[in-house]
Amino acid sequence: MGRAAEMLGVTPAFLRSLDATKLIVPQRSPGGHRRYSRYQLRLAQRARDLVDQGTPLEAACRIIILEDQLAEAQRINAQLQRERQRT
């Protein structure tokens, strides 16, 4: 966690708060240390950017979740459009 916090320029408490809001739930090492994926680090960076702009943490997490859902819906829509064009 310390290394991830250092990379993002945040405190470990900030990363714990993202875990508490369920935005990112890191894997745990056998010793209980949090392990973050690159994707989770990108989400944490996005959350930091929004919070730095004055967005409350809970709102920032909700925005990120909605952005992620929209991107997934757009991906599915594009895939369905491609399949439809083939027939």
Side-chain angles (χ1 to χ4, degrees), residues 5 9 15 21-22 29 35 42 46 51 55 60 64 68 86:
L15 291 176
T21 62
K22 304 293 185 217
S29 71
R35 304 273 180 174
R42 283 194 304 272
R46 178 73 176 124
V51 169
T55 306
I64 293 165
D68 198 46
R86 287 185 207 139

Side-chain angles (χ1 to χ4, degrees), residues 25-87:
V25 179
Q27 297 292 317
R28 297 283 184 148
S29 71
H33 298 282
R34 289 175 174 90
R35 304 273 180 174
Y36 297 95
S37 69
R38 289 180 182 161
Y39 176 71
Q40 289 173 326
L41 292 174
R42 283 194 304 272
L43 292 179
Q45 181 63 55
R46 178 73 176 124
R48 178 186 178 224
D49 293 344
L50 288 169
V51 169
D52 286 351
Q53 294 171 12
T55 306
L57 181 62
E58 287 78 21
C61 292
R62 185 68 181 139
I63 289 168
I64 293 165
I65 290 166
L66 290 171
E67 287 174 340
D68 198 46
Q69 289 173 344
L70 175 60
E72 178 66 9
Q74 288 173 329
R75 185 193 66 75
I76 291 168
N77 187 38
Q79 179 183 357
L80 292 172
Q81 290 293 330
R82 285 190 301 272
E83 290 172 7
R84 185 173 180 206
Q85 289 174 353
R86 287 185 207 139
T87 59

